[in-house]
Amino acid sequence: MVLFNVSRIQTTPFDGQKPGTSGLRKKVKVFVQPHYLENFVQASFNALTEAKVRGATLVVSGDGRYYSEQAIQIITKMAAANGVRRIWVGLNGLLSTPAVSAVIRERVGVDGSKATGAFILTASHNPGGPNEDFGIKYNMENGGPAPEGITNKIYEYTTTIKEYLIAPDLPNVDISTVGVSNFTGPEGPFDVEVFDSASDYIKLMKSIFDFESIRKLLSSPKFTFCYDALHGVAGAYAKRIFVDELGAQESSLLNCVPKEDFGGGHPDPNLTYAKELVARMGLGKSEPQGEPPEFGAAADGDADRNMILGKRFFVTPSDSVAIIAANAVQAIPYFSAGLKGVARSMPTSAALDVVAKHLNLKFFEVPTGWKFFGNLMDAGLCSVCGEESFGTGMHFASVLGRAEEQTTTFKLTQTSYYLVIVVVFVIGSDHIREKDGIWAVLAWLSILAYKNKDNQDKLVTVEDIVRQHWATYGRHYYTRYDYENVDAVAAKELMAHLVKLQSSLSEVNKIVKGASSDVSNVVHGDEFEYKDSVDGSVSSHQGIRYLFEDGSRLIFRLSGTGSEGATIRLYIEQYEKDPSKIGRLSHEALAPLVAAALKLSKMEEFTGRSAPTVIT
Ligand code: VG1
Ligand code: CO
């Protein structure tokens, strides 16, 4: 039994330790400053209050990016000093964000203990390495990200912090071996348990999906499969799930060894960064070697996002959550008794709304960020939810033809001249309280297995499923423009200008019609405010909305996940019900609304940018 002491270390606040959409994300260079991580962790303990921290069992792990191991050792020493009873660490410090959520909810420790919270160490899809990003966020006892009430308190504590507690002589824990280490501090025992990162998560997935039917699909000679973990933490699960459990070929796994710098790449599952997958799927610059697989998927660094591709084919993420919701009851055993309700983030397209209406489901619209879905799920109001987000740094076409213009990223091959659909989605269900990249892949595989259960001669493909969905529900043309690393003051001014404009809709309509005579009238303008229907809490300033008579929407908001400057996101959407018009090129269908948005916001005037950094 190793004894340790507790030290109180004097410190002073750092500016800007405000958790964003999903935790605190900064450059590694910022995080490694003396006391920086410590201040944030102590502020989190303070915000949670002693009652929740003393005697608690906390999970500490993440996507394995650079600085994770040091951070795990520091947090463990601080947890010991703050009276935490035990720390659980995934083997090698690896746990995907959804697996952390599953571990909090499901896992029972070797001594019968249950966890009540977690520090997740990730900056998600942002690159890793000494010159890149690190991140940390706290998840609560329901397995979901801390709600705004808590993150605001954490931030307040960071602005006044004077000291933190640490056990400096607690030895570093060997996180590369499964087992329990026991220590004793001034107040009693403290344990660290290192456990297998994947088994709890796999058990949960097996309770949700019909693995046998997916196995059958994967073994069919008509169906081919490929998965790219982009050297993120999904690699720690991919072989175990797709190969060992579901029988996929090992050669169908790409970049499935987790690396602290993601192999030098962006762990951002999109057509720009998932290069190898994109090439294999027939969406690269040149023809692939051999026939592309029928299905391809990629994950981000912490495996909560996903991109899913059909053969030479891609979907908007807003469509994919709608498609999963529409097929869940038939295709996924976990939902066979019906969906409790569905939810989407405000900027996500209304494709899900149409499905909800059709199936007579409860429906909710929440602000961007997964933390807002948690209360709905806990209250049994929501089963499936999703966000539009593709991740950053992407530059590709949401529809046919557009790609040809975007020579910087990829060019459609000749055979993919028609419609290209990408599914890149941030989606999940009430099995946990985080979005879940691998769950999403299994959901799509389940839908494909269901649609192909009769073993018909011709495979029902991803493309077939999407087209069928449009034919039934109509199509939401959708695009997002991101202006990254814009001057923060200019970005604020642009947003203020857009809010001010909303006081006169006649002025707005004059500008909009001046940009294009093809748009309908703006009938409403506001800043999205959300009142949580469960706890009544209110979140204001969650995006500026312009709503049109025909259901079209323009939305502007500032990103809360970047680590430098400001990112302006502009979301553009138009609904088309007429079956003869659902096959248009997205950029053509949306051109009038894009023109209106740029003119309304004076984008170029404020930002100096004549084009977005990224179009998704
Ligand atoms: C972005 C996305 C949002 C997502 C968040 C975290 O936020 O828009 O939908 O929940 O990233 O995802 P923002 O504030 O930059 O728009 V992840 O995979 O980075 O945890
Ligand atoms: Co992520």
Side-chain angles (χ1 to χ4, degrees):
M1 201 75 78
V2 184
L3 298 175
F4 64 85
N5 295 299
V6 172
S7 302
R8 290 179 178 272
I9 307 290
Q10 303 302 304
T11 185
T12 49
F14 288 92
D15 281 344
Q17 289 198 321
K18 193 172 172 52
T21 311
S22 186
L24 182 70
R25 295 181 189 177
K26 300 281 177 198
K27 292 282 167 215
V28 166
K29 294 214 153 85
V30 174
F31 263 106
V32 298
Q33 298 173 85
H35 310 313
Y36 190 91
L37 174 69
E38 290 87 341
N39 277 15
F40 187 79
V41 171
Q42 187 64 51
S44 304
F45 285 140
N46 296 351
L48 291 166
T49 72
E50 269 194 51
K52 288 258 164 92
V53 174
R54 293 204 161 271
T57 297
L58 299 182
V59 187
V60 183
S61 280
D63 62 13
R65 68 181 53 230
Y66 184 85
Y67 193 55
S68 293
E69 162 126 34
Q70 292 95 311
I72 289 170
Q73 302 296 354
I74 290 171
I75 296 168
T76 302
K77 291 179 169 66
M78 289 186 67
N82 276 275
V84 168
R85 175 65 182 79
R86 59 182 79 66
I87 288 289
W88 288 353
V89 182
L91 188 61
N92 297 313
L94 295 178
L95 278 177
S96 74
T97 293
V100 172
S101 192
V103 162
I104 296 176
R105 296 171 67 81
E106 310 279 337
R107 183 167 193 272
V108 180
V110 284
D111 54 2
S113 50
K114 291 275 294 155
T116 53
F119 285 102
I120 308 185
L121 310 176
T122 174
S124 194
H125 54 278
N126 299 4
N131 298 314
E132 300 297 350
D133 286 8
F134 186 74
I136 176 168
K137 73 171 180 170
Y138 190 80
N139 276 32
M140 309 293 285
E141 52 266 56
N142 72 347
E148 281 202 326
I150 298 284
T151 55
N152 289 341
K153 265 197 206 138
I154 295 176
Y155 175 59
E156 274 166 37
Y157 277 111
T158 67
T159 63
T160 55
I161 190 160
K162 293 197 174 67
E163 63 169 23
Y164 61 83
L165 304 184
I166 192 159
D169 50 3
L170 187 83
N172 278 353
V173 178
D174 173 14
I175 59 171
S176 64
T177 313
V178 168
V180 184
S181 313
N182 307 108
F183 308 98
T184 304
E187 293 177 47
F190 172 74
D191 304 334
V192 179
E193 182 180 341
V194 178
F195 61 100
D196 174 52
S197 310
S199 52
D200 301 284
Y201 181 76
I202 294 173
K203 210 166 103 200
L204 182 62
M205 291 301 112
K206 284 176 125 169
S207 73
I208 295 170
F209 297 103
D210 177 356
F211 269 42
E212 208 32 62
S213 71
I214 301 176
R215 193 175 242 287
K216 208 172 133 210
L217 173 78
L218 284 169
S219 69
S220 155
K222 283 184 298 215
F223 189 76
T224 35
F225 170 85
C226 185
Y227 189 77
D228 188 343
L230 295 173
H231 291 301
V233 72
Y237 302 83
K239 179 167 177 297
R240 296 269 295 271
I241 294 180
F242 298 122
V243 178
D244 299 350
E245 295 284 345
L246 295 170
Q249 307 277 327
E250 255 194 274
S251 59
S252 58
L253 301 185
L254 294 171
N255 306 314
C256 279
V257 178
K259 293 193 174 163
E260 64 173 20
D261 65 348
F262 306 106
H266 268 251
D268 194 351
N270 62 47
L271 291 179
T272 305
Y273 297 125
K275 279 197 198 75
E276 276 181 77
L277 177 71
V278 165
R280 266 207 205 185
M281 297 304 295
L283 291 163
K285 286 187 178 131
S286 44
E287 266 298 301
Q289 288 174 340
E291 187 66 6
E294 284 296 339
F295 182 92
D300 72 338
D302 61 333
D304 59 351
R305 293 186 178 199
N306 225 281
M307 171 166 79
I308 291 176
L309 308 171
K311 182 187 285 184
R312 298 194 170 102
F313 194 82
F314 60 34
V315 180
T316 78
S318 299
D319 278 350
S320 62
V321 62
I323 291 168
I324 290 186
N327 291 286
V329 172
Q330 294 79 16
I332 302 172
Y334 181 81
F335 297 120
S336 58
L339 299 181
K340 295 169 188 155
V342 295
R344 64 165 170 82
S345 70
M346 184 273 283
T348 303
S349 97
L352 184 63
D353 313 29
V354 182
V355 173
K357 211 167 163 198
H358 196 87
L359 301 180
N360 203 11
L361 293 172
K362 283 197 198 74
F363 167 80
F364 301 89
E365 182 182 36
V366 309
T368 294
W370 210 258
K371 56 191 170 207
F372 295 101
F373 294 121
N375 273 357
L376 298 174
M377 294 182 174
D378 286 348
L381 295 170
C382 169
S383 300
V384 171
C385 47
E387 297 189 273
E388 52 60 45
S389 35
F390 288 69
T392 54
M394 178 150 69
H395 194 154
F396 74 91
S398 49
V399 188
L400 174 75
R402 162 133 243 151
E404 288 147 25
E405 300 155 19
Q406 297 186 353
T407 46
T408 48
T409 49
F410 77 106
K411 210 161 177 295
L412 294 183
T413 53
Q414 275 190 330
T415 37
S416 57
Y417 59 90
Y418 56 102
L419 182 61
V420 177
I421 297 183
V422 165
V423 190
V424 186
F425 52 115
V426 162
I427 201 166
S429 97
D430 64 350
H431 64 295
I432 52 166
R433 295 295 178 270
E434 285 281 1
K435 56 199 187 227
D436 189 341
I438 289 178
W439 178 92
V441 175
L442 294 173
W444 268 89
L445 290 174
S446 300
I447 294 170
L448 283 156
Y450 171 73
K451 301 273 182 193
N452 288 286
K453 69 178 179 338
D454 298 332
N455 213 6
Q456 51 276 51
D457 290 344
K458 190 186 162 300
L459 187 83
V460 178
T461 64
V462 172
E463 177 182 359
D464 296 334
I465 292 168
V466 175
R467 283 184 179 283
Q468 183 54 50
H469 187 87
W470 290 343
T472 310
Y473 297 99
R475 176 174 175 192
H476 288 78
Y477 289 102
Y478 187 85
T479 188
R480 185 175 103 187
Y481 280 30
D482 287 344
Y483 297 81
E484 290 178 358
N485 218 339
V486 168
D487 176 72
V489 175
K492 277 206 179 112
E493 283 171 3
L494 178 143
M495 298 298 274
H497 158 75
L498 282 165
V499 173
K500 202 163 151 229
L501 258 186
Q502 293 183 328
S503 58
S504 167
L505 283 189
S506 61
E507 178 61 21
V508 165
N509 277 313
K510 228 191 277 164
I511 300 171
V512 162
K513 300 281 179 194
S516 166
S517 54
D518 288 339
V519 289
S520 76
N521 276 323
V522 176
V523 289
H524 183 77
D526 67 5
E527 274 192 275
F528 184 59
E529 184 176 277
Y530 176 65
K531 186 165 180 222
D532 189 301
S533 53
V534 180
D535 66 15
S537 61
V538 174
S539 304
S540 327
H541 307 292
Q542 297 294 325
I544 298 169
R545 307 193 291 181
Y546 285 87
L547 310 182
F548 293 72
E549 207 169 1
D550 67 352
S552 299
R553 299 193 305 167
L554 294 179
I555 290 147
F556 299 84
R557 60 178 283 282
L558 297 180
S559 155
T561 55
S563 59
E564 265 176 341
T567 293
I568 302 170
R569 302 205 199 283
L570 158 59
Y571 310 78
I572 300 157
E573 170 184 356
Q574 189 186 343
Y575 182 43
E576 185 54 70
K577 231 177 145 177
D578 181 347
S580 70
K581 293 187 183 154
I582 57 173
R584 294 180 69 192
L585 303 182
S586 173
H587 72 287
E588 278 178 26
L590 294 172
L593 279 171
V594 170
L598 298 182
K599 198 139 186 203
L600 266 182
S601 59
K602 299 191 179 168
M603 189 62 82
E604 188 163 357
E605 209 171 294
F606 278 112
T607 65
R609 305 283 177 86
S610 56
T613 325
V614 171
I615 298 176
T616 54

